[in-house]
Amino acid sequence: MKATRLITAAVLFVGSGLALQLAQAQQPENQVARPSGLGRTEVLRHDLGQPGREVIQVRVDFAPGAAFGMHTHPGEEIAYVLEGLLEYQFEGKPPVTLKAGDSLFIPAGTPHAARNVGSGNAAELATYLVEKDKPLVVVK
């Protein structure tokens, strides 16, 4: 009876470890660790007319003081501020601060960062025109 319980426990233990590995392996390849205070909601993903390209729209929510450090994308980004005050930093250039209703074009492969510099929540609608099957975000 003890042997049966030990074998059952061992099978459950090994099985739970395999299930965890399988769940981790099924996470999207382009998913990156998200800094605290940021939320990302994918709104749209669609193939473009040019083979190997797609458009992705993501709502990015920033808690007060939240930031996403230097990163790039494998294509162009258009950032449209939905609410709050967001500061965008580009390597070697002074920061640009945008308020709700403002937008910004970010060329492909351009290192940039964004942070909420207002006292309340902030949000942007990020539209990416990117190469398909490449990581959406590359952290610098």
Side-chain angles (χ1 to χ4, degrees), residues 33-39 61-68:
R34 202 175 1 232
S36 179
L38 289 181
D61 291 287
F62 295 78
F68 196 96

Side-chain angles (χ1 to χ4, degrees), residues 110-135:
T110 301
H112 61 285
R115 72 182 174 108
N116 180 353
V117 294
S119 58
N121 291 328
E124 73 172 10
L125 179 63
T127 303
Y128 306 99
L129 303 165
V130 294
E131 293 180 52
K132 195 171 184 174
D133 299 326
K134 285 200 171 180

